Amino acid sequence: NTPVNTGGVNPNGPNPSPRTEEDVKDLIAQWQQYAHPRAREFFQEPEAMARVLLELAKGVSKGNDPILGTDTCCVQWYGDVTTDDSQAAIRMTKPGEDSESITYVNRVLAFIFATDDCFEALMQLPKEPFKMQCGCQLCVNLAHIAMEI
């Protein structure tokens, strides 16, 4: 596997409608209510998970919600992308580690929010970004994650 780096140019360009700081805080508070216990356990402290949710909230336009929004529309990613294949990605420091690592947004979303059944099925897939049913790899709508390769 090639190391993953962010710094690629996001084909979507800059976020056309960024959220205010207050909007971001409200959204994180809403999302935290839906976080799966496995995510709470993994991040150990609420602030650690909130930092990841902050990156996710900053990467999508105001009015679009990849977790609680409609499952019919794509939610375009305006954050970091990988340099090699323009996949939606964030930098995060995992609990117990000192350095940041690059993580695919759709894998983070599934880890934090997917049901046990969905998550277990997704973990059987290769350790790559999940394919999106809509065909757009810069869509980060949780409902668009394909359950197969």
Side-chain angles (χ1 to χ4, degrees), residues 6 52 55-56 77 88-92 101-105 108:
T6 57
V52 172
E55 293 304 310
L56 297 173
W77 178 252
I90 59 168
R91 296 171 179 271
M92 62 179 270
S101 56
I102 307 300
T103 307
Y104 297 114
V105 171
V108 172

Side-chain angles (χ1 to χ4, degrees), residues 53-69:
L53 296 177
L54 171 70
E55 293 304 310
L56 297 173
K58 290 190 324 190
V60 295
S61 289
K62 184 175 183 170
N64 289 314
D65 188 330
I67 295 116
L68 304 175

Side-chain angles (χ1 to χ4, degrees), residues 22-124:
E22 195 61 35
D23 290 338
V24 168
K25 284 182 187 171
D26 290 346
L27 191 59
I28 289 170
Q30 287 177 18
W31 286 351
Q32 284 177 321
Q33 297 174 53
Y34 293 90
H36 192 279
R38 79 174 150 261
R40 295 180 199 286
E41 191 176 310
F42 174 79
F43 287 109
Q44 298 167 359
E45 297 174 18
E47 299 79 31
M49 186 166 60
R51 283 192 295 276
V52 172
L53 296 177
L54 171 70
E55 293 304 310
L56 297 173
K58 290 190 324 190
V60 295
S61 289
K62 184 175 183 170
N64 289 314
D65 188 330
I67 295 116
L68 304 175
T70 176
D71 60 0
T72 56
C73 297
C74 288
V75 177
Q76 293 300 312
W77 178 252
Y78 295 98
D80 286 341
V81 296
T82 56
T83 50
D84 55 344
D85 55 357
S86 294
Q87 297 287 337
I90 59 168
R91 296 171 179 271
M92 62 179 270
T93 304
K94 295 175 183 163
E97 295 184 9
D98 297 326
S99 57
E100 282 186 332
S101 56
I102 307 300
T103 307
Y104 297 114
V105 171
N106 57 22
R107 293 188 76 91
V108 172
L109 288 170
F111 177 73
I112 296 175
F113 298 105
T115 63
D116 284 331
D117 289 347
C118 288
F119 183 69
E120 286 170 24
L122 290 168
M123 289 302 97
Q124 303 307 309

